[in-house]
Amino acid sequence: MLRVIGAGYPRTGTLSMKAALEQLGFGPCHHMFEVMSSPEQSALWSLTPGEGEASWDRLYEGYESAVDWPTGYFWEEVSQAYPDAKILLTVRDARRWYKSASETIFQSPRMLDAVDGEEHGGAGQEDAAGATTTAHLRRLHETLLSTMWRGAFGVGADEVPDEATAVAAFERHIEYVRSRVSEDRLLVFEAAQGWEPLCDFLGVPVPEDEPFPHLNESEDLKERLGNVMRGGRPY
């Protein structure tokens, strides 16, 4: 059962937050990489999230926390399913967020096309793991990702939203979460704040002599995405 629900957009320090939550005892922590690298998760999230076979309990089975999309997109429905869970809203400067997203997650459809080309070109032999991975990622792209991109930015999952549109959506999302969650249940958090506000919010001690995790620089994320698309693991 989820104890912490991340309501923040991708590229707001969510992979660092995943590592931090797991270090604090709130793991395993669900992240978009879990969906992308697991055919079972991908198949479930390609259905209608929260309903039928893809009930929230099934989607988050075995997890104690969740950050990044798809959780951050469906955060309100998920928070209603787990009313005792804390809500964690990761944020950053909106224009820096857009630059980062434009270089990484907004490029994922083109990265997937490139991997497809690698698998079907040259020697003409497909790598079994990679082919299976790209097939389930294609399905995920056509279902879940298209729903989220259209709902958040008003564009298809193959399109990169312009800066004004994306920044407005990002800022609107932050204000909406703030307006919908009581102060005692919500933490608005930037990674630069470090352990103290997070640990105080969760009621756990600050780790001694342990720096707050800082993962997911743009080049690192692109490498992780490439690994996943080729059938590997992101971490």
Side-chain angles (χ1 to χ4, degrees):
M1 179 176 293
L2 294 184
R3 295 193 286 159
V4 181
I5 297 167
Y9 270 21
R11 305 307 295 148
T12 57
T14 54
L15 195 57
S16 296
M17 181 55 67
K18 170 182 166 66
L21 288 170
E22 291 179 340
Q23 189 169 339
L24 294 174
F26 292 85
C29 180
H30 191 272
H31 185 279
M32 189 65 189
F33 277 141
E34 312 292 317
V35 182
M36 295 177 66
S37 60
S38 165
E40 180 182 9
Q41 276 269 312
S42 179
L44 285 173
W45 280 99
S46 294
L47 303 174
T48 303
E51 297 183 7
E53 184 183 356
S55 67
W56 299 122
D57 284 345
R58 179 73 185 281
L59 291 170
Y60 294 113
E61 184 176 2
Y63 293 95
E64 293 202 22
S65 58
V67 296
D68 203 78
W69 277 4
T71 303
Y73 181 83
F74 294 103
W75 74 271
E76 195 162 17
E77 295 93 329
V78 178
S79 68
Q80 291 168 1
Y82 302 101
D84 294 328
K86 299 274 192 176
I87 308 300
L88 181 60
L89 177 61
T90 47
V91 298
R92 66 185 296 187
D93 175 81
R95 299 200 179 277
R96 292 180 63 188
W97 166 80
Y98 179 76
K99 181 177 185 300
S100 176
S102 296
E103 295 171 352
T104 53
I105 60 171
F106 290 155
Q107 298 303 319
S108 53
R110 280 151 287 284
M111 294 176 68
L112 190 56
D113 287 340
V115 171
D116 268 344
E118 291 173 8
E119 291 170 359
H120 293 88
Q125 293 182 341
E126 295 182 10
D127 175 80
T132 300
T133 298
T134 53
H136 81 245
L137 289 178
R138 283 290 180 197
R139 181 182 178 194
L140 192 69
H141 176 81
E142 293 165 1
T143 54
L144 176 68
L145 294 180
S146 292
T147 295
M148 296 192 300
W149 250 241
R150 185 72 62 187
F153 308 118
V155 300
D158 288 319
E159 302 174 70
V160 177
D162 64 73
E163 183 173 5
T165 298
V167 165
F170 182 80
E171 294 177 336
R172 187 166 58 246
H173 174 76
I174 292 171
E175 290 309 310
Y176 182 76
V177 176
R178 285 178 177 271
S179 73
R180 298 291 292 177
V181 184
S182 61
E183 290 186 3
D184 63 322
R185 194 185 180 193
L186 175 68
L187 175 66
V188 181
F189 181 86
E190 292 191 52
Q193 293 177 279
W195 287 117
E196 283 76 10
L198 178 63
C199 292
D200 182 63
F201 177 64
L202 297 176
V204 296
V206 174
E208 293 185 11
D209 303 319
E210 291 287 344
F212 189 85
H214 289 287
L215 308 174
N216 223 2
E217 295 296 330
S218 293
E219 288 303 318
D220 176 56
L221 177 62
K222 284 189 280 189
E223 182 177 351
R224 291 173 190 265
L225 283 170
N227 288 341
V228 169
M229 291 176 183
R230 291 176 178 84
R233 292 291 300 171
Y235 338 104

